[in-house]
Amino acid sequence: MKDLGAANFILGMEIKSDWEKRKLSLNQRKYVETILQRFNMEDSKLVKVPIPIGVKLSAEQCPKT
């Protein structure tokens, strides 16, 4: 076993971390694009998602227990 450093990409998710600001972001764009290509759906139309795009979640919204 050896330490390969911080993960940048795992299980189809891109991982970005800003340790100074204590922020972690996950991006599934590559995973979604791969799935759409696999099923020949690259030209599918966009639809609304349950949470509005661009919503910023804060630590205050996290469960305390």
Side-chain angles (χ1 to χ4, degrees):
M1 183 183 300
K2 65 177 163 175
D3 185 359
L4 300 175
N8 294 324
F9 194 83
I10 189 167
L11 298 175
M13 289 187 290
E14 180 184 7
I15 304 168
K16 292 184 181 180
S17 54
D18 184 342
W19 297 110
E20 291 178 12
K21 295 181 182 178
R22 299 189 64 180
K23 290 188 176 187
L24 180 69
S25 21
L26 303 175
N27 185 330
Q28 291 183 299
R29 178 181 300 271
K30 181 68 176 158
Y31 174 74
V32 171
E33 288 172 352
T34 301
I35 297 298
L36 290 174
Q37 288 172 355
R38 182 181 300 165
F39 294 99
N40 297 319
M41 296 177 66
E42 301 97 331
D43 298 323
S44 297
K45 293 181 182 178
L46 297 174
V47 296
K48 291 185 178 184
V49 294
I51 189 167
I53 295 172
V55 168
K56 303 282 186 194
L57 300 176
S58 68
E60 290 78 36
Q61 295 171 304
C62 293
K64 303 297 183 219
T65 59

